[in-house]
């Protein structure tokens, strides 16, 4: 609710005032009346509309009105003035015999002032949207969107644009949200009045505002004209150092464009909402501060960082080249070429021997009605690939964000094989059109264990639009959720299937092989450095069976969480035949047992549309074909998926990772707009 502005007037005195069109003003008539006043009347020019409270009884337009202790004059102005003080309002005061005692005169200048943004989120800055000062989620919501300016327009000595307090390239403007100051009125404001733009100290760390400098081309020489057209014609207006600054009033009908950039993503201490204010200040007296007589406020919501699931279309595949992965790299290159996607190879001079492309980074994007671009989230693991996201990916329309953590707080669970996202789901009537983030942590009842570092978890939760799910992954030696789960597209049901590693499915397959007379078929045939083992030897190993019973119980716990949190039925889940083994890990004089895949972990695959790059399991052969590969094809090809098995045994599996760990995929963004979420 907008409250009227109170104006003070004095009898036998002329008061000059500036009024904003559409704003209501009130004058306490009794307070400004001379002694012995009993009646009053009001006269004004046509551009002024007024009313009186309490409402007087029916009387002639010119008849004096009885004056009471609470008589108030309410007035507003319907249009902007062409000249200063071109509207007048006078209050006449009368005595008991209705003789004139005095007059109070107002000379008024009306101006239109509007600070405007794209509050209806259609890509166009509309004029004076009634909802521009608040944020509301949903398709019928309102409120402007602001991008974090985290890409880099600089080719040399690059750094995210948000780290510099000036605009160096015109192309940087598209990353910012436009804000327009619209004014209408006389050629200039009355003496002493001025417009100021201001932000709070709390918002100042999250936003910067630049202004499009205006030039009178007719009065400038050629050099000045070139300057006015150059990017340095965008001076900084508001920042953490400048919370308030005067902005121009152009006179007549004018517009000034401002460009707003976000500086930080939503986080535990920042909900993403930013307010920018424009105030008209009125002078009181020389040497005294001006006072605000009108304030217009707009609200921006900083766009969240959004992850992309396996069901979205790939754009580009990333992989490392190392001295020992040539065979793997060739197979992956062939698969990517067959699918028609781009492949970017990170060579050893950049990766410094670090082959785990999935663990170093996660691809996502940010989106607004006017612009969208990919943003890489850099993990705090900081191994050989630590410089790759910043040095190789950050660029024009490719953003970068990271979260710093103390080295002692970082564990294997901070690698981003431990960060996944589901396809869109509906859970108990609640729709998640952008899916849900999935992370792995220590078991809830564990008194000690590894966890994803708090700064990363806080960041992921603060984005809100992909509400995270925490799974138990600390039972694994490496500790990543991609070691026991992934998603693949499907033509039916929910549009995808959840794939889970399943020792039970593995033992079931091996028992069927034994029953069919293939108990002597061997795993790891063709691997000269690997000891071969028969199906019967696996089935007869009671210790291995117990270990896999434990692993199955861990996966089943996560299965129940995923079914509950993603709204899945058993028909939405496919169990893959994968066995594990436990290894000892000494931690502070205690022995901890954690799991590794017994043979290449087939769930740890790369998903490229309908084409799957699956670790070659080297399972027992039946009639010349690997029984594990045959089972995978039987489970997945019915969904229209194509299985390609990639030999990663020596270069990845033996180093505790697989195909997914060694690759990464940048994907298309969702068609769904995050601001249309029902919150």
């Amino acid at each position: 609710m907008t409250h009227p502005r109170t104006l003070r007037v004095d009898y036998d005195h002329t008061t000059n005032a500036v009024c904003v069109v559409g704003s209501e003003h009130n004058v306490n008539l009794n307070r400004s009346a001379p002694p012995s006043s009993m009646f009053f009347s009001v006269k004004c020019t046509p551009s002024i509309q007024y009313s009186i409270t309490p409402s007087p009884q029916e009387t002639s337009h010119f008849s004096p009105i009885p004056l009471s202790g609470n008589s108030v004059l309410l007035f507003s102005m319907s249009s902007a003035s062409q000249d200063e003080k071109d509207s007048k309002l006078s209050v006449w005061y009368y005595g008991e015999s209705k003789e004139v005692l005095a007059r109070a005169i107002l000379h008024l200048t009306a101006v239109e002032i509007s600070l405007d943004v794209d509050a209806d989120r259609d890509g166009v800055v509309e004029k004076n949207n009634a909802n521009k000062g608040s944020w509301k989620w949903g398709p019928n919501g309102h409120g402007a969107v602001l991008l974090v300016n985290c890409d880099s327009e600089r080719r040399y000595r690059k750094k995210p644009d948000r780290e510099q307090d000036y605009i160096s390239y015109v192309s940087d403007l598209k990353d910012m949200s436009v804000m327009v100051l619209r004014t209408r009125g006389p050629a200039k404001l009355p003496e002493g009045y001025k417009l100021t733009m201001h932000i709070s100290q709390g918002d100042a760390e999250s936003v910067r505002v630049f202004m499009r400098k205006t030039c009178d081309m007719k009065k400038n020489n050629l050099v000045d004209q070139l300057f006015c057209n150059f990017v340095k014609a965008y001076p900084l207006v508001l920042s953490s150092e400048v919370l308030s600054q005067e902005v121009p009033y152009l006179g007549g009908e004018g517009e000034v464009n401002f460009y707003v950039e976000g500086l930080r993503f939503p986080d535990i201490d920042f909900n993403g909402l930013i307010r920018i204010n424009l105030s008209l200040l009125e002078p009181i007296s020389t040497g005294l501060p001006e006072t605000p007589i009108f304030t217009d406020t707009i609200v921006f919501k900083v766009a969240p960082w959004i992850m992309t699931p396996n069901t979205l279309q790939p754009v580009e595949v990333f992989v490392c080249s190392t001295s020992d992965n040539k065979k793997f790299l060739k197979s992956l290159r062939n698969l990517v070429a067959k699918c028609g996607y781009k492949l970017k190879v990170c060579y050893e001079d950049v990766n410094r021997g670090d082959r785990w492309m999935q663990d170093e980074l996660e691809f996502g994007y940010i989106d607004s009605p006017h612009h969208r671009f990919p943003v890489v989230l850099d993990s705090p693991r900081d191994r050989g690939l630590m410089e790759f996201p910043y040095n190789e990916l950050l660029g024009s329309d490719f953003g970068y964000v990271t979260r710093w953590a103390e080295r002692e707080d970082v564990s294997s669970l901070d690698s981003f094989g431990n960060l996944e996202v589901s396809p869109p789901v509906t859970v108990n009537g609640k729709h998640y059109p952008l899916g849900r983030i999935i992370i792995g942590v220590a078991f809830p009842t564990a008194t000690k264990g590894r966890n994803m570092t708090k700064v990363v978890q806080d960041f992921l939760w603060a984005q809100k639009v992909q509400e995270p799910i925490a799974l138990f992954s600390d039972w694994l030696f490496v500790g990543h959720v991609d070691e026991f789960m992934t998603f693949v597209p499907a033509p039916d049901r929910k549009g995808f299937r959840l794939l889970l590693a399943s020792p039970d499915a593995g033992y079931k397959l091996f028992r069927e092989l034994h029953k069919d007379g293939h108990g002597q078929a061997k795993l790891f045939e063709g691997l000269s450095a690997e000891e071969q083992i028969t199906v019967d030897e696996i089935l007869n190993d009671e210790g291995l069976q117990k270990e896999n019973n434990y692993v199955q119980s861990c996966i089943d716990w996560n299965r129940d969480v995923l079914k509950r949190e993603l709204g899945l039925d058993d028909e939405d889940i496919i169990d893959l035949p994968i066995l594990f083994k436990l290894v000892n890990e000494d931690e502070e004089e205690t022995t901890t047992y954690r799991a590794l895949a017994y043979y290449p972990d087939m769930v740890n695959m790369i998903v490229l549309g309908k084409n799957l790059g699956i670790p070659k399991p080297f399972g027992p052969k039946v009639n010349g074909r690997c029984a594990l590969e045959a089972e995978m094809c039987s489970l997945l090809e019915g969904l229209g998926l194509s299985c390609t098995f990639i030999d990663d045994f020596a270069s990845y599996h033996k180093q505790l990772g697989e195909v997914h760990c060694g690759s990464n995929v940048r994907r298309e963004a969702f068609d769904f707009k995050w601001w249309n979420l029902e919150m």
Side-chain angles (χ1 to χ4, degrees), residues 82-102:
Q82 293 186 351
D83 300 299
E84 187 178 338
K85 305 177 187 176
D86 64 359
S87 297
K88 296 177 176 58
L89 183 149
S90 61
V91 181
W92 295 62
Y93 292 100
Y94 307 92
E96 186 174 0
S97 300
K98 298 187 179 179
E99 71 278 14
V100 176
L101 299 180

Side-chain angles (χ1 to χ4, degrees), residues 10-249:
D10 295 317
Y11 63 89
D12 287 341
H13 181 76
T14 298
T15 301
N16 298 317
V18 173
C19 301
V20 176
V21 173
S23 298
E24 198 169 36
H25 306 74
N26 73 71
V27 176
N28 186 307
L29 296 175
N30 187 59
R31 190 167 68 180
S32 61
S36 303
S37 296
M38 301 296 291
F39 301 92
F40 71 93
S41 65
V42 178
K43 300 177 182 179
C44 64
T45 52
S47 60
I48 301 173
Q49 292 81 45
Y50 74 89
S51 62
I52 296 168
T53 61
S55 181
Q57 296 179 353
E58 290 295 329
T59 182
S60 166
H61 177 71
F62 299 103
S63 297
I65 302 167
L67 178 68
S68 66
N70 59 348
S71 292
V72 173
L73 169 66
L74 296 170
F75 74 91
S76 62
M77 303 190 69
S78 59
S79 60
S81 298
Q82 293 186 351
D83 300 299
E84 187 178 338
K85 305 177 187 176
D86 64 359
S87 297
K88 296 177 176 58
L89 183 149
S90 61
V91 181
W92 295 62
Y93 292 100
Y94 307 92
E96 186 174 0
S97 300
K98 298 187 179 179
E99 71 278 14
V100 176
L101 299 180
R103 287 187 307 166
I105 300 174
L106 271 169
H107 286 178
L108 301 173
T109 303
V111 294
E112 289 184 17
I113 300 175
S114 176
L115 187 60
D116 294 326
V117 290
D118 178 18
D120 60 4
R121 307 192 285 233
D122 65 354
V124 178
V125 177
E126 65 275 9
K127 186 174 181 180
N128 214 13
N129 188 308
N131 296 313
K132 64 185 178 182
S134 61
W135 173 268
K136 181 181 178 183
W137 292 89
N140 297 315
H142 56 258
V145 176
L146 185 64
L147 297 176
V148 176
N149 197 5
C150 59
D151 67 341
S152 178
E153 307 300 330
R154 295 167 47 149
R155 297 182 181 179
Y156 307 103
R157 296 182 179 178
K158 66 180 179 180
K159 58 182 178 180
D161 293 330
R162 63 185 176 85
E163 294 183 9
Q164 61 186 31
D165 60 359
Y166 58 90
I167 297 173
S168 54
Y169 296 92
V170 171
S171 58
D172 197 23
L173 296 177
K174 67 181 182 296
D175 303 331
M176 304 183 188
S177 293
V178 178
M179 182 171 64
V180 181
L181 168 58
R182 294 184 169 106
T183 56
R184 185 196 298 262
K188 63 178 183 178
L189 292 173
E191 185 177 358
Y193 286 85
K194 62 183 180 181
L195 291 173
T196 63
M197 189 173 290
H198 50 103
I199 53 177
S200 69
Q201 183 71 60
D203 285 344
E205 301 299 323
S206 307
V207 68
R208 268 196 296 258
V209 179
F210 299 88
M211 181 180 71
R212 175 68 172 97
K213 190 173 182 179
T214 58
C215 295
D216 187 343
M217 294 299 187
K218 294 180 180 179
K219 295 183 179 180
N220 290 331
N221 59 36
L222 179 60
V223 173
D224 290 335
Q225 290 180 32
L226 291 174
F227 175 81
C228 287
N229 287 327
F230 190 58
V231 292
K232 291 184 179 178
Y234 296 89
L236 181 63
V237 176
L238 298 178
S239 67
S240 58
E241 286 76 36
V242 183
L243 302 182
S244 179
Q245 188 164 160
E246 184 177 357
V247 294
Y249 168 84

Side-chain angles (χ1 to χ4, degrees), residues 482-494:
D482 71 350
E483 296 176 74
F484 66 87
M485 62 161 290
T486 194
F487 298 94
V488 295
D492 57 358
R493 296 189 63 80
K494 296 177 174 65

Side-chain angles (χ1 to χ4, degrees), residues 310 316-321 325 328-329 331-333 335-336 342-346 354-363 381 385 388 416-420 480 482 486 603-608 611-615 646 648 651-652 657-667:
N310 286 349
E316 191 171 15
V317 179
F318 293 78
V319 67
C320 289
S321 173
N325 80 338
F328 169 85
L329 186 56
S331 297
L332 188 62
R333 190 188 299 274
L335 175 62
V336 174
K342 298 178 183 178
L343 179 68
K344 182 175 179 61
V345 179
C346 176
D354 183 3
R355 70 195 65 213
W356 308 112
M357 182 63 77
Q358 182 67 223
D359 289 341
E360 181 59 37
L361 58 95
E362 188 67 55
F363 288 109
R381 72 188 279 271
L385 278 165
F388 175 77
F416 285 166
N418 196 36
L419 173 61
E420 298 297 323
H480 298 174
D482 71 350
T486 194
V603 77
N604 193 270
M605 63 180 70
I606 185 172
V607 180
L608 301 176
N611 295 280
L612 311 179
I614 303 171
I646 298 175
D648 71 350
S651 54
Y652 289 88
E658 309 286 359
V659 174
H660 187 259
C661 304
S663 61
N664 216 316
V665 183
R666 181 168 71 87
R667 301 180 184 274

